[in-house]
Amino acid sequence: MFSSLKIRNYRLFFIGQVVSNTGTWMQRIAQDWLVLSLTGSSAAVGITTALQFLPMLLFGLYGGVLVDRLPKRPTLLVTQSAMALTGLALAFLTLSGHVQVWHVYVAAFAVGLATVVDNPARQSFVSEMVGPEQLQNAVSLNSANFQSARLVGPAVAGVMITGVGTGWAFLFNGLSFVAPLASLLLMRNRDLHSVQRAPRGKGQLREGLHYVAGRPDLIWPIVLVGFIGTFGFNFPVWLSAYADDIFHAGAGAYSLFNTLMAVGSLIGALLAARRGTTRLRVLIAAAAAFGLLEVVAAVAPSYWLFALLMIPIGIAGLTVNVTANTAVQMGTDPAMRGRVMALFMMVFMGGTPVGAPIVGWITDAYGPRVSFALGGVIAAVAAATIGVILARIGDLRLSFDWNHGHPSLAFVPREREQLATAA
């Protein structure tokens, strides 16, 4: 489960990300709650989320082209420093009492601009640290890292917000970037796996799109995470609205919902780290389960039932993310990885500027339950549709059989199904 941590460079990277991710989650919770406090509007929370992911939608593919050309470690030093300065600036404005909602909008957009390059650079740099043999394990542990920080970050943010205010959470996030910057500086170049960088030239963006378009095993997982990222992952809007409008429980409840979802996500990440292979059928099943669980949670009548449902939602959501991420990375040529991962992240995160304001408007107009259920329905329908498409591309058919006295449904190749019928 933890085999990639034996590699020194990756171990340094992992430790640095634990600290930084904790600060990132603290800022996310504080940012959403600050906007809700300043405006009283779920739509405003949706706008904040949209602004943070809008740069990925607008410039994500160009970020991937840059990442394929640039050395990853110096690039990450620049992007991580930029995000640290943004956190410190927002902390100063909040602690000094001068913060306004447009300040938060600008800060969210600035973080999004840095993420355009930072995200594909970090995704691609993992393979340079660990090599192809440990890639799936390292990707899964990265997700476990992010989700374990999500356990601590919201809990600490909830205490800080209710005790001393949102500004201190922003300050912690700004200072937390010291850890990843130090880990990058301490790495040994000789231990990195060399990857040939793409030369500067015309048509590289188009080349990346053509590469993905000709690969059904890449494009359909990307399309699926696009639907789920746009309509199924708007938790800042939904959970803040449930905490404030449905259960009237305040910032502590919002923090608890995020923490319980992180528990599930951490479980999902560790289970993914144990799996030796990546299967697209796992992706489809997890996406369908994710959507159906959201529908169930949307109509949950009690506070604690809703809260506990965040755990299986976290497991299913993280399984979708890790499985799709690993399948796309492992199926991509190293020279194209920056562009392909930029497209993956652009579709997954870049859909938020489209989905978040729509979801925020539906939440304000029709209530959180309708909005949450609609997101789940879209995710489940997308999973079922793409599952059928992939089965047809692979010439698979649904087969019913008995396994040790229990009914079993599975997709099998048509030839195998015909042989079984003939027998």
Side-chain angles (χ1 to χ4, degrees):
M1 187 181 293
F2 302 103
S3 57
S4 55
L5 288 176
K6 297 175 183 177
I7 300 168
R8 179 183 180 275
N9 283 345
Y10 180 71
R11 189 165 61 247
L12 287 169
F13 177 83
F14 186 91
I15 293 170
Q17 290 299 307
V18 167
V19 179
S20 178
N21 286 335
T22 301
T24 296
W25 275 110
M26 290 175 65
Q27 174 149 325
R28 285 191 180 186
I29 301 300
Q31 175 180 279
D32 297 337
W33 200 256
L34 176 61
V35 170
L36 193 63
S37 301
L38 290 171
T39 66
S41 169
S42 292
V45 178
I47 290 170
T48 308
T49 305
L51 285 170
Q52 186 158 336
F53 296 109
L54 181 61
M56 183 64 74
L57 177 63
L58 297 177
F59 313 117
L61 292 176
Y62 296 98
V65 172
L66 284 175
V67 166
D68 278 338
R69 293 176 183 171
L70 298 172
K72 307 300 185 294
R73 188 160 65 133
T75 300
L76 288 170
L77 287 168
V78 173
T79 57
Q80 297 277 297
S81 298
M83 288 190 282
L85 292 174
T86 303
L88 293 173
L90 196 54
F92 172 78
L93 287 168
T94 307
L95 292 172
S96 65
H98 294 97
V99 71
Q100 298 178 37
V101 69
W102 72 267
H103 293 145
V104 186
Y105 288 164
V106 171
F109 189 75
V111 170
L113 283 175
T115 304
V116 166
V117 176
D118 184 81
N119 225 310
R122 277 190 295 109
Q123 300 281 347
S124 303
F125 191 49
V126 171
S127 63
E128 294 188 25
M129 286 185 287
V130 303
E133 295 80 9
Q134 294 289 346
L135 181 59
Q136 177 165 339
N137 182 261
V139 169
S140 300
L141 288 183
N142 276 353
S143 297
N145 183 329
F146 189 68
Q147 301 305 330
S148 61
R150 190 176 174 183
L151 288 173
V152 179
V156 176
V159 172
M160 279 192 172
I161 292 169
T162 55
V164 294
T166 55
W168 293 99
F170 297 139
L171 180 62
F172 183 92
N173 179 54
L175 295 176
S176 71
F177 283 95
V178 171
L181 291 171
S183 72
L184 289 166
L185 292 170
L186 290 171
M187 288 183 186
R188 291 196 286 245
N189 271 330
R190 66 178 182 271
D191 292 340
L192 295 174
H193 294 254
S194 61
V195 173
Q196 184 177 359
R197 297 201 299 271
R200 188 179 183 87
K202 293 182 179 180
Q204 291 179 322
L205 178 57
R206 186 168 57 252
E207 181 187 8
L209 293 174
H210 285 167
Y211 178 82
V212 174
R215 296 281 304 276
D217 58 321
L218 299 181
I219 194 165
W220 287 113
I222 291 174
V223 170
L224 178 57
V225 298
F227 274 102
I228 291 177
T230 301
F231 299 106
F233 263 84
N234 291 285
F235 293 109
V237 177
W238 290 324
L239 299 188
S240 60
Y242 267 81
D244 196 44
D245 299 332
I246 300 295
F247 300 119
H248 309 289
Y254 182 44
S255 175
L256 175 65
F257 296 156
N258 278 279
T259 300
L260 290 174
M261 186 177 293
V263 171
S265 299
L266 179 59
I267 294 170
L270 293 176
L271 290 174
R274 289 178 62 89
R275 286 196 297 269
T277 58
T278 298
R279 297 179 184 273
L280 290 179
R281 67 186 182 191
V282 174
L283 172 63
I284 299 300
F290 176 77
L292 293 174
L293 284 166
E294 286 194 337
V295 174
V296 173
V299 298
S302 70
Y303 173 88
W304 283 108
L305 178 58
F306 180 84
L308 290 174
L309 281 168
M310 295 302 104
I311 296 176
I313 287 175
I315 293 173
L318 196 283
T319 303
V320 171
N321 192 1
V322 169
T323 307
N325 188 311
T326 307
V328 171
Q329 283 211 56
M330 294 184 72
T332 302
D333 184 90
M336 302 290 295
R337 192 167 284 144
R339 279 164 282 182
V340 173
M341 292 312 299
L343 178 62
F344 178 90
M345 298 310 299
M346 185 195 77
V347 170
F348 182 54
M349 299 169 61
T352 302
V354 178
I358 295 172
V359 166
W361 175 79
I362 295 173
T363 301
D364 284 340
Y366 301 101
R369 293 191 185 278
V370 172
S371 179
F372 201 6
L374 183 61
V377 168
I378 292 173
V381 170
T385 302
I386 292 173
V388 171
I389 290 171
L390 287 172
R392 289 192 172 185
I393 290 172
D395 201 22
L396 302 177
R397 294 290 182 270
L398 189 64
S399 174
F400 176 82
D401 202 353
W402 289 90
N403 185 15
H404 301 294
H406 299 285
S408 174
L409 286 173
F411 282 107
V412 299
R414 179 183 296 178
E415 293 81 2
R416 179 175 145 191
E417 185 186 55
Q418 290 172 345
L419 288 173
T421 304

